[in-house]
Amino acid sequence: MNKFFKKTLALTAAVIAAFGVTGCGEDFPASGDKESVSAANRNLTVNVSSSLVDFSKYKDTKTTDIYAWRGPTDLSDEQWQTFKESGINTLIMDSGIDGKRGAQFGSASQEEYIKKCHKYGINAIGYTNGNINTNVKDYKNEEFYPTIKGVDYTDEPPISEFEEIATAIPDFSAKYPGGKFFVCMLSSGADAKHLGTADYREYANGWYDTVLSRLPEGMPRVFATDIYPMHDDKKYGYNYVEETWLRSLAYLGEVKLAHPEIVLHMAMQSMSFGFLENTSPRRLPSEADCIFQAYVNMAFGFTEFSWFTYSSPELDEREFGEEHVSMLDRSNGKTSAYYGVKKANELIYDLDEVMMSLTWHGVYPITVKSSTDSEKTDERAIRYLKSIKGVILDESDFNVVKSVSANGNVLCSQFTDEKDNEGFMLVNYGDPSYEKTVKVEAEFIDCDKIIVYRDGKATVENVGNGKWSEDIPAGKGVFIIPYKA
């Protein structure tokens, strides 16, 4: 990682050493008994003494992987330096040097890509273009072998293909032990005809049971999906955020709660495009849009990410027209999305040792009555989210928070560290293009200090009378750790 992305969280260690902090709150029954604990009968004055975890100790050992789809379209050093400076550290080789799709792992074209990745310290993920190859090329004797971090076997498969995909596991695990057996899955917004079932839980759990559970011990179990949520106004006359996004995140959150070893991966939107039928076009994401996607996905326990796409795809008659570009346009010039992705990557790197050290427990959604068409879409999104009850929390599930409220739509997610101290991700959930700031107010249980991560940087503040508030700008979030000094 270049110096620009070095983490700055050593402040947390200094803070903890200075205050000798203890947690605040109390122990509660296991999640299966949570209904027996109501806000009315909680003892809100009992302290639990425990040291907060110093996340900065992980800064050199826990770094998330941030992938890109469709990498540089030539092998010039200038192009690859631009790629590296974006903060992307992993390339999925789903296109050839000419930018066309259909590249195959083991081809001369992909070997050139791997060598370039090796030169620039970028991880490489091979691509088989849907060919469930049970005998992929073995590069074990090549100098660039350590650069290869996995193989992407196919994209968005229906449930009927799961068994066939699993047949590639023995070959892959023998040649790339410890590597990532990667497939990007459909989200819950997909039609039943594509999923192969009308029940998304059957689809998601089937992927775990049929494929991920068969990976050998020590291999990462990455559950990836793609959701491109930022829509423009061409269809409805206003910008909006995809209303099925939160529900899809919640379904995968259920799988994560059942199988904590899973690494959740989200392919995020870094380009504009538009289907000719059935759906509104996507917009070229702004800096706020990119950061917003990162915060929302992290609020559901996602710790690995990719961007679709880096270079602009080939033109086609279905979704990628001349007006649709990505981080680079078709002349390889940087677009505004390049700089937005770079900023989002900085945030992810600043927070990765925190987020990768925590256990996600669920989300407490806060919603207010809609006043605009776009906000009505957000309200539907939260209503769809609440239907996935296995991930929904209420205030009685919090140990150190007595109450939390907001004057806008907010996601409040609960995490715990290795010593069961609580932290919370608070995200302003609304289309960033409306530039609406939301005020969050919380009352803590016997806490007088709080660590607040704004834009990934930690500060320590006093909590007067147990009460704290924060104005969260559009597209932003904060991570907080309340405690007793």
Side-chain angles (χ1 to χ4, degrees):
M1 188 185 310
N2 64 43
K3 293 181 180 178
F4 193 69
F5 290 109
K6 289 293 185 182
K7 268 79 75 181
T8 59
L9 300 181
L11 171 62
T12 306
V15 167
I16 292 168
F19 287 104
V21 299
T22 59
C24 56
E26 63 167 332
D27 290 323
F28 286 94
S31 58
D33 299 325
K34 72 178 184 181
E35 291 183 359
S36 66
V37 182
S38 68
N41 66 22
R42 283 189 296 165
N43 182 344
L44 303 183
T45 62
V46 178
N47 287 332
V48 174
S49 295
S50 57
S51 297
L52 290 172
V53 171
D54 173 11
F55 296 118
S56 66
K57 69 184 180 183
Y58 299 123
K59 66 180 180 179
D60 295 323
T61 61
K62 294 189 178 184
T63 298
T64 194
D65 289 334
I66 303 177
Y67 307 11
W69 305 77
R70 303 192 62 80
T73 55
D74 66 43
L75 297 174
S76 68
D77 288 334
E78 180 182 8
Q79 278 234 34
W80 286 79
Q81 185 62 36
T82 298
F83 181 74
K84 187 174 179 67
E85 288 173 356
S86 72
I88 294 165
N89 62 20
T90 302
L91 174 63
I92 294 182
M93 299 182 294
D94 61 330
S95 59
I97 295 172
D98 56 4
K100 293 182 179 179
R101 306 186 80 170
Q104 293 287 318
F105 185 63
S107 66
S109 172
Q110 285 210 10
E111 285 188 25
E112 291 301 313
Y113 263 19
I114 297 169
K115 290 175 184 176
K116 210 69 177 182
C117 286
H118 183 67
K119 176 180 177 179
Y120 278 88
I122 297 165
N123 300 327
I125 302 287
Y127 190 70
T128 70
N129 195 40
N131 171 20
I132 309 304
N133 191 341
T134 57
N135 185 26
V136 297
K137 189 164 184 177
D138 189 348
Y139 285 111
K140 201 166 290 178
N141 295 323
E142 298 290 344
E143 180 185 10
F144 56 69
Y145 176 78
T147 298
I148 303 170
K149 298 302 180 183
V151 173
D152 181 352
Y153 278 86
T154 189
D155 192 54
E156 299 183 338
I159 197 169
S160 60
E161 295 180 2
F162 290 2
E163 285 288 353
E164 181 187 6
I165 295 168
T167 64
I169 291 175
D171 176 72
F172 172 77
S173 59
K175 294 172 180 174
Y176 298 96
K180 294 179 180 179
F181 188 91
F182 190 87
V183 176
C184 196
M185 309 301 293
L186 290 159
S187 74
S188 74
D191 292 337
K193 66 181 180 180
H194 298 304
L195 294 169
T197 173
D199 183 349
Y200 190 76
R201 283 191 178 94
E202 179 185 13
Y203 180 83
N205 290 323
W207 180 246
Y208 179 86
D209 294 339
T210 307
V211 179
L212 297 184
S213 67
R214 297 185 188 179
L215 293 172
E217 189 72 27
M219 287 184 66
R221 296 180 176 182
V222 180
F223 199 130
T225 192
D226 51 23
I227 303 174
Y228 311 126
M230 314 310 298
H231 294 257
D232 69 17
D233 62 0
K234 289 186 176 65
K235 185 173 182 180
Y236 297 114
Y238 56 87
N239 286 343
Y240 73 96
V241 180
E242 171 60 50
E243 60 262 48
T244 64
W245 181 19
L246 299 184
R247 182 183 66 190
S248 291
L249 297 175
Y251 275 124
L252 298 187
E254 283 189 329
V255 181
K256 174 73 172 178
L257 291 174
H259 307 287
E261 78 279 12
I262 284 175
V263 176
L264 291 179
H265 176 114
M266 179 57 69
M268 300 190 290
Q269 179 186 348
S270 57
M271 73 166 296
S272 59
F273 61 95
F275 295 102
L276 296 182
E277 300 175 352
N278 301 327
T279 187
S280 69
R282 268 69 167 184
R283 64 182 187 244
L284 184 64
S286 66
E287 177 179 313
D289 292 338
C290 293
I291 291 172
F292 176 61
Q293 291 180 77
Y295 269 121
V296 172
N297 291 320
M298 284 191 288
F300 282 82
F302 282 73
T303 55
E304 191 175 281
F305 309 93
S306 57
W307 294 99
F308 182 86
T309 59
Y310 178 72
S311 63
S312 295
E314 300 174 270
L315 301 178
D316 65 28
E317 296 180 354
R318 180 170 179 259
E319 55 185 329
F320 302 134
E322 285 282 0
E323 72 275 23
H324 297 136
V325 294
S326 187
M327 294 171 63
L328 299 186
D329 61 26
R330 291 187 174 83
S331 299
N332 287 327
K334 297 175 185 177
T335 69
S336 58
Y338 176 93
Y339 299 99
V341 166
K342 185 174 181 178
K343 282 292 186 182
N345 290 344
E346 292 174 29
L347 171 71
I348 292 168
Y349 286 134
D350 274 342
L351 284 175
D352 57 4
E353 67 258 30
V354 179
M355 305 310 297
M356 296 175 74
S357 304
L358 299 170
T359 299
W360 179 77
H361 293 282
V363 60
Y364 174 64
I366 303 169
T367 188
V368 298
K369 190 65 179 174
S370 306
S371 59
T372 67
D373 287 333
S374 181
E375 288 176 329
K376 288 176 183 176
T377 303
D378 298 337
E379 188 177 337
R380 282 199 303 275
I382 292 179
R383 187 165 66 247
Y384 295 155
L385 165 63
K386 288 181 177 179
S387 70
I388 316 301
K389 298 186 183 302
V391 304
I392 300 300
L393 304 172
D394 58 40
E395 289 177 345
S396 66
D397 293 307
F398 301 150
N399 292 346
V400 301
V401 175
K402 183 176 182 180
S403 65
V404 58
S405 61
N407 64 357
N409 297 320
V410 168
L411 302 173
C412 175
S413 298
Q414 180 192 38
F415 297 82
T416 56
D417 65 20
E418 63 195 50
K419 296 184 179 180
D420 292 328
N421 297 292
E422 289 183 294
F424 303 90
M425 179 75 82
L426 297 162
V427 180
N428 178 347
Y429 186 80
D431 193 308
S433 69
Y434 283 76
E435 299 182 347
K436 182 176 179 178
T437 295
V438 171
K439 184 172 186 176
V440 177
E441 296 180 312
E443 184 173 0
F444 302 126
I445 302 168
D446 199 23
C447 295
D448 55 15
K449 297 284 183 182
I450 186 172
I451 300 172
V452 185
Y453 290 83
R454 297 183 186 89
D455 298 321
K457 306 299 190 293
T459 61
V460 178
E461 299 171 7
N462 294 321
V463 176
N465 299 317
K467 294 182 179 179
W468 171 84
S469 65
E470 181 81 8
D471 291 328
I472 304 179
K476 294 291 186 73
V478 294
F479 184 81
I480 63 171
I481 306 169
Y483 65 94
K484 177 82 169 179

